[in-house]
Amino acid sequence: MTLPVWELDVVVMPKPGVNDPEGEAIRGGLQALGYDGVERVRAGRSIRLRFAAASAEAAEGLAREMADRLLANPVIEVFEVASVE
C-alpha cells in the first residue's frame, strides 16, 4: 500500500523581541524608496515540504517534528505549519 503524499508549508519567524537585522534592513530600504508608513518588518523563511504520510494529521505532526528538530531554532524562532491547498 502506498501512502498519500502531502505538501505542507513551515513558516519560521523570529520570536517577538528577538533582534531582526534583516527585517530592519528591509524596513530601511522600503522607507528609502518612499514607503514611509512601514513601521516594522519581520523577516523569516518559508519551507515547503512534500512527503508521504498516512493522514493529514500524521503529516502535520511530522512537519512539526521536523521544525522542532531542525527547521527552526526554538530559542529565537517560532513556526507555523499549514497544508498547501
Side-chain angles (χ1 to χ4, degrees):
M1 179 172 126
T2 304
L3 294 175
V5 174
W6 306 90
E7 270 193 66
L8 294 102
D9 282 335
V10 178
V11 178
V12 182
M13 297 293 293
K15 283 185 175 180
V18 170
N19 187 27
D20 183 2
E22 185 178 2
E24 286 301 308
I26 293 167
R27 184 180 65 82
L30 290 170
Q31 289 179 339
L33 292 172
Y35 299 103
D36 297 327
V38 178
E39 295 178 6
R40 184 174 180 207
V41 174
R42 300 294 281 173
R45 61 191 181 282
S46 177
I47 302 155
R48 179 155 296 172
L49 303 170
R50 188 168 201 256
F51 57 93
S55 66
E57 294 79 18
E60 183 175 334
L62 286 170
R64 289 186 177 284
E65 183 179 316
M66 292 175 203
D68 277 333
R69 296 184 70 193
L70 177 69
L71 304 176
N73 178 345
V75 174
I76 60 169
E77 296 174 318
V78 293
F79 67 87
E80 294 181 8
V81 174
S83 62
V84 176
E85 299 299 325

